[in-house]
Amino acid sequence: MKRKSISPEKAKFISSLLVTITFMVIALIASGLYTKRMLERARNQYFESLTTSTQGFAKIISTQLTDYKDILSTFYLDYVFSSEDTKQIFDFLKKYHYKKLNDFNHLYFMTPDGTAYLSDGRIIHMVPENHAGPDSTTFFVSDLLIPPGEDEFVFCVEKAIFNDENEFTGVMGASINIDAFKEKNHNIKIGPRESFMLLDRNGVFLLHPRKEIIGRTFVPEDKRLMNTSTIAMAKSPAMTTYSQQDDGSYIYLVTSKIPESGWTLAVKTSLDEIDAIYKTQMRIEVLIFVFLIIIILALVTIESKVMNFFQQKQIIETIYDPLTNTWTRVRFEQEAQRMLKNDRHSKFVLIEADIRGLKFINQNYGEETADQVIVYFANALKHFAAENHAIIGRGFADRFYIFMRISSIHNAMKVLREKISGFENKVKNYDIPFFPKYGISFCKPEDRKEGISIQTLIGQASFAKSSIKDNLIINFSVYNSRMLEKVRNERFLENHMNQALEDGEFFVMYQPKIALADDKIVGAEALVRWNNKELGIILPDNFIPIFEKNGFITKLDYYVYDKVFSFIRTLIDRGEKIVPISVNMSRNHNKPEKFMHDFLEIFNKYQIPPTLVQIEILERSVMDNTTLKDITDRLHEAGFSVAMDDFGSGESSLNMLTKIPVDVLKFDREFLNASTDKNGRIDKKSENFIHGLIELSKNLEKQTIFEGVETQAQRDFLRSVECDQAQGFFYSRPLTEKDFIEFIKLHS
């Protein structure tokens, strides 16, 4: 039988097809193996990042416990607690109960038999085994407790007491309410699929996202995971492990130890977070497979060209983010590390950027819109990177990284400020306004000696960015070793502010106000200073913002009022010359009735004329116009004059003039500083603007005063436009009471 022959063209087609299919299978397998390797690396980097964050959060809790110990130590007086006189100790605690930290339920002294004397006057019995004992040579932090007669969870910070013969005589301690402790640590921010828990040494929950879980332990239903029960984790070192939740779902846990207490901080992350890594790559693999099938058919006739195209495509899909077409974080880190390694003598900057409230956009506008915002943000960052010969990569969600070589840190910061400011204006015009924030870290040649890596720089930039929190005024932060020191200094001021007020460490100085018509004194402004026993003189810029944030500023205001009114009374009684003195009302006063009640209660003690007191309110107050008007009207009814401080620094100045009946407009110093040359002269454009403000004020029958006058040229200009008064270093710095009295005599 004669065999059927095959044409050369057909044989060539079949041969080419078989070769192409074989090559494609090999390429697909290789691609799969490479993708699997990249997935594993991405997964490992995710857990490394989570471990670093967990350790950082553990340090925050450690710092808080250290603060509690420091505060408790301020109540320890050796002659009281070493006296073995229980009544004396009890009386001491009751006397100073009002000074305790708000987080403390009470202070107490516990004898070795468990009898506890509480600062609120109660005597209860505690279980000594749960508290510090004779072996506690340093401060002791207890596990979770419910004190007798109470129904709230607490833990205790304690100090063992010994007599002169080194015999254990009892325990001085403070109980901390768990809710107050949780509020102190509410700034610990985890991702959308993670949350943190805190276990004591017995594996009992101290903190948990669900309040009803506090005080309990947990054992997984899956018997294979018994080593991840809370009791087991409390006894184990720091680890990353697979576990199970009480609803039966599986999770990953990353733990870290709190050395001050032996507690365990655990961060849990949903398997969905890991799945998200795989889903993105799986979509890429499906696209690769479909694309390869199409290429197989084309390679039959144009094998060489299509193979080249395929190789290029493979490279793109494994190193570029599919949504934004920027490098993946893996590729970014590889290239950035290569730049660090190859150029050991240059300076570099790393920028980490993300979008505030992306979760809100995703929930309210949908995932597609959120992706569009990310793409818009990425395109703007890519444009910046291209202009500055930088590399750019995308991490999880909206997180982007930029790395570039710089000539100097000073010039780099100048460029970054300009670019960030310009970009802020640009994004406001987007369909859905969003607000980016940036963390910045620098690498200098000398840093290489410490083996700095690109991961370290990313961690530094991330820490700097986290310090911004929800402050919309600040959009970037630069990492430096002083950041942690700044946090510690702020806590020092907060921990000592109440005692400083009681000890009279705050004092008042007076800066004269001068009439420009004749250079005579017509008033003064009372300014507060802090003379700290450890730090010396502290200027207001270093403590006023902190006090405004924590609310202590209102107490300080009333303290200053009392000092000023007492000083005025003294001048009247001595028959000294006197001028009206203005006092500041901080932005935190927002209840007119309460402010007027407390203000007049102090004022009426001294029986002085209200014409000698002026109140300066802030245009940028948190109060709305209605509340500001209410307070101004009440002050006028009581006979006081009212000035608006820092006028022109807010956003609605002209509108406010017609609604709030103030007597004086006090113009912000920036009007002069921003437009004055090195010789102290004001430019023509600014002169015309300031002249217009003065004329407008006079048309509205308001007196005018400029603060921050430092040069004769500024004084002469303000006099030429008929400004009423001036205040600043040109005339006088803030003066003590004695020097102020002499200044009045010389300039009246």
Side-chain angles (χ1 to χ4, degrees), residues 512-534:
K513 297 178 182 178
I514 305 298
L516 287 168
D518 55 12
D519 279 349
K520 301 294 185 183
I521 185 170
V522 291
E525 180 182 5
L527 302 169
V528 67
R529 300 289 187 268
W530 183 357
N531 186 11
N532 181 262
K533 296 175 182 177
E534 297 183 31

Side-chain angles (χ1 to χ4, degrees), residues 105 144-147 149-155 176-179:
N105 278 6
L144 191 70
L145 302 169
I146 298 182
E150 299 183 12
D151 59 359
E152 293 182 334
F153 286 114
V154 302
F155 67 89
I176 293 95
N177 184 279
I178 284 296
D179 289 337

Side-chain angles (χ1 to χ4, degrees), residues 379-427:
N379 288 338
L381 293 177
K382 284 193 290 185
H383 180 71
F384 168 77
E387 284 184 337
N388 294 277
H389 308 289
I391 62 173
I392 180 171
R394 181 190 177 198
F396 292 106
D398 59 333
R399 194 165 297 176
F400 292 91
Y401 308 97
I402 295 175
F403 189 65
M404 63 184 183
R405 187 180 291 102
I406 59 174
S407 59
S408 74
I409 293 176
H410 175 75
N411 290 338
M413 283 306 304
K414 182 179 179 181
V415 171
L416 291 176
R417 285 192 183 95
E418 292 174 355
K419 294 295 182 181
I420 289 173
S421 177
F423 186 59
E424 288 290 306
N425 295 328
K426 185 177 180 182
V427 298

Side-chain angles (χ1 to χ4, degrees), residues 268-293:
K268 69 176 182 179
T269 182
S270 167
L271 294 183
D272 293 340
E273 191 69 26
I274 307 301
D275 290 343
I277 301 173
Y278 284 87
K279 285 178 181 178
T280 301
Q281 297 295 338
M282 286 299 295
R283 286 198 295 265
I284 295 175
E285 282 198 292
V286 170
L287 290 174
I288 292 174
F289 181 76
V290 173
F291 187 65
L292 290 179
I293 295 300

Side-chain angles (χ1 to χ4, degrees), residues 5 185 351 426 442 611 640 684 704:
S5 62
N185 295 281
I351 306 166
K426 185 177 180 182
F442 291 98
T611 53
F640 302 100
K684 198 66 180 177
T704 54

Side-chain angles (χ1 to χ4, degrees), residues 489-505:
N489 288 340
E490 288 184 359
R491 289 187 175 178
F492 175 87
L493 296 180
E494 287 188 309
N495 291 338
H496 290 78
M497 60 189 183
N498 284 294
Q499 191 63 46
L501 195 66
E502 291 190 16
D503 294 346
E505 292 184 5

